[in-house]
Amino acid sequence: MKEVLLEKIQDRRATIGIIGLGYVGLPLAVEFAKGGFKVIGYDVSERVCKSLMEGHSHIQDVPSAEVAKLVRQKLFEATTDESRLHEADAVSIAVPTPLVKTRDPDMSYVIAATDAMTRQVRAGVLVVLESTTYPGTTREVLLPILTKLGLTVGENVFLAFSPERVDPGNPKYHTKNTPKVVGGITAACTEVATALYAAVIDQVVPVSTTEAAELVKLLENTFRSVNIGLVNEMAIVCDKLGVDVWEVIDAAGTKPFGFMKFTPGPGIGGHCIPLDPHYLAWKMRTLNYKTRFIDLASEINSQMPAYVVEKVAQALNEERKPVNGSRVLVIGVAYKPDIDDIRESPALDVIRLLEQDGADVVFHDPHIASYREDGRTHSGVELSKDELKRADAVVIVTDHKSIDYQMLMDNAALIVDSRNAMAKAVKTKARVVSLAKTRFAGMAVDPA
Ligand SMILES: NC(=O)c1ccc[n+]([C@@H]2O[C@H](COP(=O)([O-])OP(=O)(O)OC[C@H]3O[C@@H](n4cnc5c(N)ncnc54)[C@H](O)[C@@H]3O)[C@@H](O)[C@H]2O)c1
């Protein structure tokens, strides 16, 4: 069976099923289709499938024209009909893995997707879990289901985990040129999964087990969370010492070895970094081990929105204004620059906290016209001189490239800049407050 599947992959006769057509699943589906495979994308969302079949992409990094072309060529099809998965020779699962309120893993999407796969799976198929999850998920959750069906993993069905590393908005690295890690339940599973991804992705990195592959993703995102936590704490340290944190980081960044530059900000967002480390923390709690770095980084990062709000309150106070009743214009609500994703965005916390203190908050984001939270729609405003002049404080939460920062400098009275976005603007009107308040005057250096 392995040889048959390998042959089908090699000559592009294999049909690929992708469960979940979001930030991860859609780019992957498109990559397989562009590679000449027939791809069936299964998603529970009627809206997502319909718009894809009409040639509209809902994912910023995937051009609609590309989707439309692949649909026309009959290489890609999006469907809510689960039974179509029966046609697939390989099925990748890319559904959400959020946390429940107690920060424990919410595996309901993975379980629902696995159930759908189970109802349709047949002998000779490769199943790959791509959703970020705790080490052991593939072996503990998916393997028993396949075994119960009477299939023998490694012989007549193949099971692997392959973490997705997509970085939305990254102009350089995308699905095809980002190395893909793959770990199978057996060596045969790893071999088949490696062959599948190698057909469309430049570099595949096989590891020995599904647990290793699961942990790779968690290490990568925990690494980011911890380093962002460290540099956020450094911003607080610099504030207390009266030192310019950005100058310190830039200078440290000139070290050609042993240092990697991370920058402070209003906190972390997105579907990955705020959540994934908690999958590992949860798993380790079940083994009676407390992951201290994860917990500490999470604590520091999750306090950053409140720290930004405190900066706004202090800055307004210096102008003899209370937060209550002040008009605050938040720039950028996406969780990172140049994307349209607000999931877990610290901007939402900043806005909520400012509103709790009585501020009249409006926002501008070139990528997000409006968003809904707690049953309320927040609509963005246009960025105009008038809007800037009306604001008692402008808070830069996300530094999108397309914002005219000089216009902010020339028209706003007070800017609280959590991203160092104003560094390149020529100092004119606005008072700019950074995350860390500097106290010392720069030393004049006379070259003579
Ligand atoms: N977004 C990222 O940047 C990123 C990067 C790497 C890894 N991941 C991981 O990839 C996984 C997917 O994340 P995403 O960002 O693509 O999520 P998403 O919310 O963008 O997309 C998930 C899609 O799955 C669909 N879906 C939900 N339940 C389903 C089911 N039972 N059957 C079929 N479809 C279903 C949803 O309708 C949605 O379209 C998560 O585990 C995430 O942690 C995300």
Side-chain angles (χ1 to χ4, degrees):
M1 283 228 158
K2 184 183 87 178
E3 300 309 325
V4 174
L5 188 49
L6 285 172
E7 239 175 68
K8 276 186 172 180
I9 291 169
Q10 196 154 20
D11 56 23
R12 306 288 198 269
R13 275 183 300 115
T15 296
I16 315 297
I18 307 280
I19 305 186
L21 295 171
Y23 285 90
V24 167
L26 185 62
L28 188 67
V30 163
E31 216 49 65
F32 276 121
K34 282 200 311 196
F37 290 95
K38 183 180 171 204
V39 178
I40 297 170
Y42 164 66
D43 200 292
V44 288
S45 167
E46 198 73 66
R47 181 183 51 81
V48 163
C49 292
K50 186 170 176 288
S51 79
L52 286 171
M53 289 311 283
E54 288 167 356
H56 304 299
S57 166
H58 59 296
I59 302 294
Q60 203 177 313
D61 292 343
V62 178
S64 289
E66 207 157 69
V67 172
K69 186 172 167 204
L70 295 167
V71 169
R72 264 198 318 277
Q73 291 175 326
K74 299 202 179 319
L75 283 169
F76 173 65
E77 201 180 328
T79 179
T80 53
D81 177 3
E82 171 201 299
S83 70
R84 297 292 312 282
L85 289 172
H86 194 68
E87 296 166 37
D89 297 291
V91 178
S92 293
I93 302 174
V95 293
T97 42
L99 296 172
V100 296
K101 282 252 182 285
T102 52
R103 300 213 155 259
D104 287 352
D106 175 358
M107 296 303 289
S108 60
Y109 297 90
V110 169
I111 289 167
T114 305
D115 285 348
M117 178 273 293
T118 309
R119 287 189 288 269
Q120 307 304 331
V121 81
R122 53 185 168 78
V125 165
L126 164 69
V127 176
V128 185
L129 180 61
E130 298 234 1
S131 298
T132 308
T133 184
Y134 60 86
T137 306
T138 313
R139 195 180 299 275
E140 291 160 16
V141 179
L142 276 77
L143 178 62
I145 292 171
L146 291 173
T147 310
K148 228 190 242 169
L149 291 174
L151 297 165
T152 309
V153 170
E155 285 180 20
N156 60 4
V157 71
F158 305 92
L159 177 60
F161 182 84
S162 179
E164 184 48 63
R165 289 165 152 172
V166 70
D167 181 19
N170 190 321
K172 187 169 174 202
Y173 290 107
H174 35 86
T175 305
K176 185 167 170 50
N177 65 358
T178 304
K180 190 118 175 79
V181 171
V182 168
I185 291 284
T186 69
C189 298
T190 309
E191 187 185 344
V192 179
T194 302
L196 176 72
Y197 289 110
V200 293
I201 287 170
D202 296 347
Q203 191 192 346
V204 179
V205 183
V207 293
S208 62
T209 60
T210 50
E211 285 78 4
E214 288 158 340
L215 205 44
V216 166
K217 175 74 185 174
L218 297 178
L219 170 61
E220 290 167 4
N221 282 355
T222 301
F223 172 85
R224 286 193 62 76
S225 172
V226 166
N227 281 286
I228 295 168
L230 171 66
V231 84
N232 278 335
E233 185 165 66
M234 198 51 73
I236 297 167
V237 165
C238 284
D239 190 50
K240 292 193 181 301
L241 292 173
V243 176
D244 181 351
V245 65
W246 305 99
E247 184 183 16
V248 172
I249 292 167
D250 283 345
T254 60
K255 187 179 179 187
F257 48 85
F259 182 80
M260 187 181 279
K261 192 170 158 181
F262 282 80
T263 49
I268 49 176
H271 192 338
C272 293
I273 300 169
L275 311 185
D276 300 351
H278 292 286
Y279 271 73
L280 183 54
W282 173 84
K283 176 69 187 182
M284 297 318 295
R285 278 201 300 278
T286 70
L287 299 175
N288 252 334
Y289 183 83
K290 190 168 154 49
T291 49
R292 287 157 288 175
F293 272 111
I294 292 176
D295 295 355
L296 186 58
S298 166
E299 189 186 318
I300 293 172
N301 291 330
S302 63
Q303 283 170 4
M304 289 313 286
Y307 183 72
V308 171
V309 169
E310 202 183 299
K311 284 275 158 205
V312 177
Q314 278 171 8
L316 282 169
N317 188 45
E318 281 153 15
E319 310 276 326
R320 296 170 183 275
K321 290 179 181 173
V323 176
N324 195 349
S326 285
R327 187 172 173 93
V328 181
L329 169 61
V330 168
I331 302 288
V333 290
Y335 78 85
K336 68 173 187 174
D338 309 324
I339 62 159
D340 61 358
D341 190 350
I342 61 158
R343 291 179 298 179
E344 310 288 326
S345 174
L348 308 186
D349 291 330
V350 169
I351 291 173
R352 201 179 316 109
L353 291 169
L354 284 167
E355 285 182 340
Q356 274 168 16
D357 288 346
D360 169 20
V361 187
V362 288
F363 82 87
H364 169 78
D365 191 307
H367 299 273
I368 294 163
S370 66
Y371 68 90
R372 267 186 86 72
E373 198 188 33
D374 298 333
R376 187 179 135 207
T377 300
H378 298 248
S379 299
V381 295
E382 285 303 313
L383 189 57
S384 65
K385 288 179 183 172
D386 279 352
E387 201 58 66
L388 288 165
K389 284 181 178 142
R390 272 184 77 193
D392 295 293
V394 174
V395 189
I396 300 174
V397 176
T398 307
D399 50 340
H400 293 299
K401 275 200 200 82
S402 60
I403 301 275
D404 182 350
Y405 293 101
Q406 192 61 48
M407 178 184 170
L408 262 60
M409 183 69 99
D410 296 342
N411 294 282
L414 169 66
I415 299 172
V416 177
D417 180 6
S418 73
R419 300 277 195 172
N420 205 26
M422 298 305 292
K424 290 202 187 102
V426 179
K427 182 94 192 81
T428 53
K429 183 182 169 209
R431 181 162 80 93
V432 180
V433 172
S434 140
L435 272 191
K437 195 178 192 173
T438 51
R439 228 178 328 138
F440 305 106
M443 205 196 302
V445 180
D446 185 354

